[in-house]
Amino acid sequence: DAGVIQSPRHEVTEMGQEVTLRCKPISGHNSLFWYRQTMMRGLELLIYFNNNVPIDDSGMPEDRFSAKMPNASFSTLKIQPSEPRDSAVYFCASRGGSETEAFFGQGTRLTVV
Amino acid sequence: AQKVTQAQTEISVVEKEDVTLDCVYETRDTTYYLFWYKQPPSGELVFLIRRNSFDEQNEISGRYSWNFQKSTSSFNFTITASQVVDSAVYFCALSANTGGFKTIFGAGTRLFVKA
């Protein structure tokens, strides 16, 4: 199994631009999570999907952030417009069932200048 | 509300010392799961262990051991005879019924093991 695959691994963009982060969960997993990691705030859960449906998006910082999961094998996290304070490492994770652990992708390091 | 507290921000030990990383959790659910993850300097998050709320049996895996105590809402992690390769940030996490089994993380403890 290839594990959770995230792309791109690194993204540098200018303030105001749209950024799209992508995630392919492990095949057969039915839950998907997007997290943001910063020094100041640690690992924050942004949004959680179960069976492609958003269950909890209370961690999404503001309307500039949106996430979709059009099918079981793909999810996107979009920031529009991006701001320097969005600079962070964004992790995607997937899980096979509520009783199991989540497996993480390698993360996308986003820098907004 | 659910919460995970890792009060130790950083710990520094000398190689071969034993070290315990503390984790205290809060949940009103009777069904929940606890986890530990390791984040080495390379940045990936590596799963170490999962425990469910109905199983308080302690676990040992090589130099790693975990002590789960529901009476004190703690799930502590001990590394015996630490090695330089153990240097990493360690996260404790919780997944519970009320939260729809979303997984939330503590702030992490950064462990430095010096040679």
Side-chain angles (χ1 to χ4, degrees):
Chain A
D1 198 327
V4 177
I5 299 173
Q6 292 186 246
S7 64
R9 292 291 309 277
H10 302 273
E11 176 83 29
V12 181
T13 191
E14 291 187 348
M15 183 173 63
Q17 296 297 306
E18 176 179 298
V19 175
T20 299
L21 311 182
R22 296 173 175 79
C23 176
K24 177 178 168 55
I26 293 172
S27 178
H29 281 190
N30 62 359
S31 295
L32 184 139
F33 306 84
W34 281 100
Y35 291 88
R36 178 173 67 177
Q37 185 176 33
T38 61
M39 289 295 293
M40 292 298 294
R41 302 174 71 90
L43 261 172
E44 300 174 273
L45 176 63
L46 300 178
I47 188 167
Y48 158 40
F49 291 90
N50 197 48
N51 293 321
N52 312 338
V53 176
I55 302 300
D56 187 332
D57 65 355
S58 58
M60 296 286 264
E62 47 198 274
D63 292 345
R64 297 184 298 106
F65 285 69
S66 62
K68 294 182 180 178
M69 192 165 186
N71 57 61
S73 58
F74 185 65
S75 177
T76 59
L77 177 67
K78 185 177 294 186
I79 309 172
Q80 165 64 19
S82 57
E83 297 182 3
R85 59 191 169 122
D86 302 329
S87 298
V89 179
Y90 290 82
F91 285 101
C92 176
S94 71
R95 184 177 72 187
S98 60
E99 73 284 4
T100 64
E101 59 275 8
F103 291 92
F104 282 76
Q106 298 278 67
T108 295
R109 181 173 295 276
L110 173 65
T111 303
V112 183
V113 298
Chain B
Q2 298 166 60
K3 189 177 178 182
V4 177
T5 301
Q6 294 181 257
Q8 303 150 309
T9 306
E10 288 187 0
I11 300 176
S12 184
V13 299
V14 177
E15 207 170 22
K16 297 183 184 177
E17 283 185 14
D18 298 347
V19 58
T20 295
L21 310 181
D22 297 333
C23 173
V24 174
Y25 62 92
E26 292 178 32
T27 179
R28 293 180 181 174
D29 289 304
T30 56
T31 301
Y32 54 90
Y33 302 89
L34 296 163
F35 311 88
W36 276 96
Y37 285 80
K38 174 181 180 179
Q39 187 174 41
S42 51
E44 70 271 25
L45 281 152
V46 179
F47 164 74
L48 296 178
I49 191 171
R50 164 173 47 90
R51 258 293 171 260
N52 73 55
S53 52
F54 301 109
D55 182 4
E56 277 192 86
Q57 191 172 13
N58 293 330
E59 179 148 343
I60 298 174
S61 176
R63 295 183 298 105
Y64 294 173
S65 63
W66 291 269
N67 180 255
F68 176 26
Q69 290 195 343
K70 290 175 74 171
S71 60
T72 55
S73 297
S74 64
F75 186 41
N76 296 338
F77 173 26
T78 297
I79 302 174
T80 302
S82 59
Q83 300 177 1
V84 172
V85 292
D86 296 327
S87 297
V89 181
Y90 291 87
F91 291 94
C92 182
L94 167 69
S95 171
N97 188 18
T98 299
F101 291 107
K102 62 183 180 184
T103 306
I104 61 169
F105 284 77
T109 297
R110 185 177 295 275
L111 175 65
F112 295 98
V113 181
K114 296 179 283 190

